[in-house]
Amino acid sequence: MKSCSTGVSCTPAVFLVLHLGLISSMAQQIEQQIGIAGREVTLPCVPPGSSLPRHTAVTWMYSNTLIWCMDNNKIFKKSGIITGQFEVVGTNKQLKLWNFELSDAGIYTCQYGSHNVRTALHVFKLTVSLDGHFLQNEVPELTLLHNSPDPKPDLSITLFNSNNNRVTPEGENKSPQKSILYLKKLEATDSGTWVCHVHSDSPLINQNISFAVKVLGFQNPDMERKYATVDSTVILSWHLNFQKIKWNKGFTGQLNWKQQKSAKAHELLDFNVTALGEQHETKKTSHFLFEIPERKPESAIQVKLPKVHFNHSGHYQCQLAYKGRRVQSNIELVVMKVSANPAGPLSRGAKMTLICQVSGPLPPNAHLSWERVNGTQMDIKNSKQHEVKLEVNISAAGLWSCHLIEDNDRKISLHYHVEEAPVWINYVVTGASAGGSVLAFALVCLCIISGINWQRRRQREKRMAQARQYLLENKTCQCQHWPKK
């Protein structure tokens, strides 16, 4: 072979030899090579296990166009034929490509002496919606573009998540050179490296394409219920995962509270996290008694209620915001209180009503239960489904406990000690009761006597009135019969 030209092209003799070599090598097997757009790929110049003799003239062609040749240590390189960048490396003159695109797929031929080594380059380009940065519960969209020389492969695609579990797409839109996969909602635990496996029987293709998925969210469940008793101390926590997944973007958030789902929300605090992972919090209200703990777990949002009130119950909602998109996690705080009516000591023979109440509706698998400590089975009373208030009438002093039970698990308990009234109080009560009875009897007797006296007086007055009327009528009659003088 003649030397490669140092000008624009190789000599006509070189083209003739190359053309003849290509024709004679059409029956040779074509190597299959996969390239991922934007990454690197290396194409062989000699068959596996072979080596290239020294000082051998080498030519690389893309389709039927010369892109590189070397003869007598003189190198010619033609740019603009392919989109990507390339260079020939190593003693075996491998062709290294990088920054290539879909359009760079095709047949690459390395010729040396009478040998032609042909490689079919299949180029794939995988894109993930939102640049692979998602919020919890968002739905990713995966697009796989591919370009191949003829014959075109019939591809099948299999996905594996970061836990190496196979993922079944919710939907798929497939065309000859483009496949779009619609996945299910992401969870915070889905962050990591996913794999897209591409397979074809003819030509034979088995390729894994890895891609990163980052899901910003909460390690808490979407909805969490927390129970507390009046006057206890409670810490509500939301654990974010931005440190764990190395989220290198800035985002903001806020914590809201509302007593009922339909009530107006009140902002308790807001926060922001920088791209460097620095977290800053600001308290937004002074009307709600809560604290921001100084010491708390890394990547956590916390509020501390030092003394829980019954009206502290409700829905606490922590919300993250990134690029106009939002995700939230809720903690429902249910507060329990107990009371008695009457509240004083229990006298002998008297009865008292103990009241146990929770601030919000209970799930179907939860109920309230009153029981007397060290009592009998008869001293236990359970609420019905969905009841938030349970009353029990007692006549025995001692320690009584109200339990909130969920799936046979006691979540919280609150005690009420019923004191027995001292003996002298019992005597006073008995005496007061007896005295009251006597007094009531005396009052009744007095009323009866007064009534009888009043009735007699009325009757006497009536008789006297009748007598006066009678005398008056008789006197008038006598005057009319007196004789005239």
Side-chain angles (χ1 to χ4, degrees):
M1 184 191 297
K2 294 184 180 180
S3 302
C4 292
S5 170
T6 57
V8 177
S9 63
C10 290
T11 60
V14 172
F15 283 108
L16 178 62
V17 172
L18 289 175
H19 183 68
L20 293 175
L22 286 174
I23 293 175
S24 64
S25 63
M26 289 298 290
Q28 296 180 4
Q29 184 178 1
I30 299 178
E31 297 291 331
Q32 307 296 323
Q33 185 71 42
I34 306 299
I36 310 301
R39 303 182 189 179
E40 293 184 359
V41 66
T42 301
L43 309 182
C45 183
V46 298
S50 303
S51 59
L52 190 67
R54 295 183 64 183
H55 307 299
T56 302
V58 177
T59 301
W60 271 102
M61 297 188 68
Y62 171 64
S63 296
N64 292 322
T65 304
L66 175 70
I67 58 174
W68 187 91
C69 66
M70 182 191 72
D71 191 12
N72 295 327
N73 293 327
K74 294 181 180 180
I75 297 175
F76 166 75
K77 180 178 180 181
K78 188 174 183 180
S79 59
I81 305 300
I82 60 177
T83 305
Q85 296 176 283
F86 70 92
E87 63 177 347
V88 177
V89 297
T91 56
N92 283 340
K93 307 306 178 186
Q94 298 168 310
L95 182 65
K96 179 180 178 182
L97 300 171
W98 68 95
N99 291 338
F100 53 90
E101 297 293 340
L102 290 167
S103 58
D104 295 325
I107 303 297
Y108 290 80
T109 305
C110 179
Q111 184 186 30
Y112 60 97
S114 60
H115 300 281
N116 288 321
V117 176
R118 306 178 69 209
T119 302
L121 178 62
H122 307 264
V123 180
F124 292 86
K125 184 174 184 179
L126 184 68
T127 59
V128 185
S129 60
L130 301 176
D131 195 30
H133 288 72
F134 300 95
L135 294 181
Q136 198 169 351
N137 296 324
E138 288 187 329
V139 178
E141 182 179 305
L142 195 67
T143 303
L144 180 66
L145 302 172
H146 56 93
N147 189 17
S148 302
D150 293 329
K152 304 293 184 183
D154 184 15
L155 299 175
S156 63
I157 302 171
T158 308
L159 287 179
F160 298 90
N161 63 14
S162 58
N163 299 316
N164 202 30
N165 296 323
R166 183 170 178 172
V167 176
T168 302
E170 296 290 312
E172 183 176 359
N173 186 2
K174 191 174 181 180
S175 60
Q177 290 185 307
K178 183 178 182 180
S179 296
I180 302 177
L181 305 179
Y182 306 96
L183 308 187
K184 64 178 183 178
K185 289 183 179 181
L186 292 173
E187 300 177 2
T189 53
D190 287 328
S191 294
T193 301
W194 289 46
V195 172
C196 175
H197 179 74
V198 182
H199 173 77
S200 170
D201 290 326
S202 179
L204 182 60
I205 294 176
N206 276 301
Q207 180 68 30
N208 287 332
I209 306 174
S210 60
F211 59 98
V213 171
K214 292 188 177 184
V215 186
L216 178 65
F218 303 90
Q219 299 180 46
N220 307 52
D222 288 344
M223 180 63 185
E224 183 179 355
R225 183 177 288 104
K226 194 174 183 68
Y227 299 108
T229 58
V230 168
D231 294 333
S232 65
T233 298
V234 162
I235 295 179
L236 305 178
S237 300
W238 289 263
H239 298 276
L240 314 182
N241 68 342
F242 65 92
Q243 295 281 8
K244 184 177 181 180
I245 65 174
K246 298 180 180 178
W247 184 272
N248 56 355
K249 311 284 185 179
F251 64 94
T252 61
Q254 62 184 29
L255 178 62
N256 300 322
W257 168 81
K258 54 184 177 181
Q259 201 157 33
Q260 303 292 337
K261 284 186 177 180
S262 58
K264 179 182 178 182
H266 301 273
E267 187 177 358
L268 302 183
L269 61 87
D270 62 17
F271 60 91
N272 67 82
V273 178
T274 67
L276 299 177
E278 298 171 345
Q279 182 175 326
H280 306 282
E281 299 162 343
T282 305
K283 197 172 182 179
K284 301 297 289 185
T285 179
S286 59
H287 302 293
F288 195 94
L289 298 178
F290 75 95
E291 302 172 0
I292 301 176
E294 294 183 2
R295 291 187 178 183
K296 55 180 178 292
E298 189 180 50
S299 307
I301 301 297
Q302 283 189 342
V303 291
K304 178 181 178 181
L305 306 178
K307 192 174 183 180
V308 175
H309 296 167
F310 196 68
N311 58 3
H312 281 164
S313 63
H315 299 266
Y316 294 77
Q317 181 187 86
C318 189
Q319 187 179 84
L320 304 181
Y322 173 69
K323 289 189 174 180
R325 294 135 50 199
R326 297 178 184 275
V327 64
Q328 62 191 29
S329 176
N330 296 278
I331 295 179
E332 182 184 5
L333 180 62
V334 179
V335 182
M336 174 196 283
K337 67 178 180 178
V338 295
S339 59
N341 184 26
L346 183 63
S347 303
R348 184 181 304 170
K351 289 188 177 182
M352 177 184 290
T353 301
L354 298 180
I355 305 166
C356 180
Q357 186 175 358
V358 291
S359 58
L362 295 176
N365 59 339
H367 68 276
L368 299 173
S369 177
W370 268 117
E371 72 168 348
R372 184 185 180 191
V373 179
N374 298 325
T376 65
Q377 191 70 22
M378 299 296 294
D379 295 322
I380 298 177
K381 183 177 181 181
N382 296 323
S383 66
K384 297 179 181 179
Q385 192 176 36
H386 301 302
E387 279 187 341
V388 296
K389 185 177 182 180
L390 178 63
E391 297 182 358
V392 59
N393 296 319
I394 65 168
S395 57
L399 184 62
W400 291 77
S401 295
C402 181
H403 309 292
L404 195 157
I405 301 173
E406 184 176 327
D407 288 331
N408 298 320
D409 180 25
R410 291 183 180 179
K411 294 297 183 180
I412 51 172
S413 297
L414 198 54
H415 306 296
Y416 193 93
H417 187 257
V418 180
E419 297 182 353
E420 186 175 2
V423 177
W424 66 268
I425 291 182
N426 290 329
Y427 290 150
V428 170
V429 172
T430 303
S433 178
S437 299
V438 172
L439 180 60
F441 179 73
L443 289 174
V444 171
C445 292
L446 182 61
C447 290
I448 293 173
I449 293 171
S450 299
I452 293 173
N453 291 335
W454 179 78
Q455 185 70 21
R456 288 177 177 175
R457 188 167 56 251
R458 287 289 304 264
Q459 290 177 355
R460 187 167 55 250
E461 291 175 352
K462 185 176 181 181
R463 287 196 298 269
M464 291 177 67
Q466 289 176 350
R468 284 194 298 268
Q469 181 67 27
Y470 177 75
L471 291 174
L472 181 61
E473 290 177 353
N474 287 339
K475 185 177 180 180
T476 305
C477 183
Q478 291 176 2
C479 290
Q480 291 176 351
H481 293 87
W482 283 349
K484 299 181 180 179
K485 293 182 181 179

